[in-house]
Amino acid sequence: MRFLSIWLMLSIIPWIAQGQESFRFYETDITSGTKEHFKIPVTDGTDSTFIPITVFHGLKSGPVLGITAGVHGYEYPPILAAQKIAQNLDPSKLKGTVILVQAANVPAFLGRSPFLNPLDSKNLNRSFPGNSNGSITERMAHTINQEVIAKSDFFVDMHGGDSPEDLMPYNAWYNSEAFPETSAKGREMALAMGFDYAIVFNIPKERVSKPSLYCSQEAFRQQIPAVDIECGRLGIPGTKETDIIVSAMFSLLSHLEMLPPIKSVKKSPIIVDKRVAIKSNHTGLFYTDKKAGDSVIKGQKVGYITDFFGKKLEDIVADNSGIILYMIGTPPINKGETLMNVGLID
């Protein structure tokens, strides 16, 4: 009997050391407790680029978390946060798998291009679910959808304020009567990340059957709990904002039980489930002393617009009381554009 016990122990030890089964990604088997870097090529026959992705395959079994940074290549804190996550996430301590897109829109990043991919002038965050036979941006969206979103159990898309956008840190989750369980899990994810403000993206039931356009909304459409992060302003690669994102992502990994519990004070964020936009009626120059995170009161003058000769065309007045979630932080403004997005708080 003693020899049988020894034999069983010797048989089990290699299995324990090996951990969970390997993870198949882009024709590569990733061994448990390791990470692999990938440069996935994308081309439409004329233009070419690549998507840099790091896959962390934990030593123990667990869910798959997909993360995208740099869908807008001029939003630097999420991209820098992805770099830090890649350096500090230890797959030997991880349960499950993390698929981390380091910079989804490399052409926009290298081209220092706000909002749009300079190769075809399309917005990657308006191109999902993508098209395998479309333009270069549509093919990039298709690749991210197939290789990252579709393989995930949970999903996070990390953003910040692009070059003209002043923005306060917050996160957001999708909510719809069409997918109540997915909505509830997304809410739990968002509230566990430590932001002071959390926004509800309310999606009408009939909307989920239409093309998603947005990266994280595509995950939600596939009934994958999805959260957006918005942290960073005016295209500045801020250290503070980068650290907030990194901390939020490690808090989420702990919440999902993919990493050990983190000893930290849990925040109860202010939840914003209704937002209103203040739009411009003119083209010209926008003047304001407001910044993202400031409160506004209904009827308050929050700025004005002039023409190119300095003549005032319009006073900008708040129609509602609330907090400025994001706003145009630079002078140029076009007719019909959003000047400020105000979160209404009870």
Side-chain angles (χ1 to χ4, degrees), residues 283-294:
T283 294
L285 283 73
F286 175 48
Y287 292 87
T288 182
D289 59 2
K290 293 294 183 182
K291 61 183 183 299
D294 285 350

Side-chain angles (χ1 to χ4, degrees), residues 288-308:
T288 182
D289 59 2
K290 293 294 183 182
K291 61 183 183 299
D294 285 350
S295 296
V296 297
I297 301 171
K298 183 177 180 179
Q300 177 185 7
K301 179 183 172 182
V302 294
Y304 61 94
I305 296 173
T306 72
D307 66 14
F308 288 92

Side-chain angles (χ1 to χ4, degrees), residues 326-345:
Y326 64 88
M327 57 175 281
I328 291 295
T330 55
I333 193 68
N334 293 290
K335 182 178 180 179
E337 288 182 336
T338 295
L339 293 162
M340 296 178 178
N341 190 276
V342 178
L344 308 186
I345 299 172

Side-chain angles (χ1 to χ4, degrees), residues 43-96:
T43 183
D44 64 358
T46 301
D47 295 311
S48 298
T49 185
F50 66 92
I51 302 173
I53 297 177
T54 303
V55 179
F56 306 79
H57 190 42
L59 203 59
K60 298 181 180 180
S61 61
V64 177
L65 173 63
I67 307 169
T68 46
V71 168
H72 288 140
Y74 208 105
E75 297 173 359
Y76 299 129
I79 298 170
L80 297 176
Q83 295 275 298
K84 282 195 170 185
I85 292 168
Q87 294 164 10
N88 292 289
L89 181 58
D90 184 352
S92 69
K93 298 179 181 177
L94 180 69
K95 292 181 180 180

Side-chain angles (χ1 to χ4, degrees), residues 23-146:
F23 183 76
R24 186 75 172 172
F25 185 82
Y26 204 64
E27 300 182 352
T28 300
D29 291 320
I30 304 171
T31 306
S32 62
T34 67
K35 69 179 180 182
E36 295 282 349
H37 301 301
F38 298 85
K39 290 175 69 174
I40 299 181
V42 183
T43 183
D44 64 358
T46 301
D47 295 311
S48 298
T49 185
F50 66 92
I51 302 173
I53 297 177
T54 303
V55 179
F56 306 79
H57 190 42
L59 203 59
K60 298 181 180 180
S61 61
V64 177
L65 173 63
I67 307 169
T68 46
V71 168
H72 288 140
Y74 208 105
E75 297 173 359
Y76 299 129
I79 298 170
L80 297 176
Q83 295 275 298
K84 282 195 170 185
I85 292 168
Q87 294 164 10
N88 292 289
L89 181 58
D90 184 352
S92 69
K93 298 179 181 177
L94 180 69
K95 292 181 180 180
T97 306
V98 173
I99 306 174
L100 174 63
V101 179
Q102 302 272 5
N105 198 336
V106 170
F109 176 74
L110 294 178
R112 304 182 183 91
S113 174
F115 304 112
L116 307 179
N117 181 347
L119 295 178
D120 61 2
S121 297
K122 290 188 177 182
N123 188 334
L124 179 56
N125 208 34
R126 302 295 186 274
S127 300
F128 285 85
N131 182 349
S132 61
N133 296 311
S135 72
I136 189 70
T137 297
E138 293 168 333
R139 294 181 190 222
M140 290 160 63
H142 173 78
T143 300
I144 292 168
N145 190 14
Q146 295 298 309

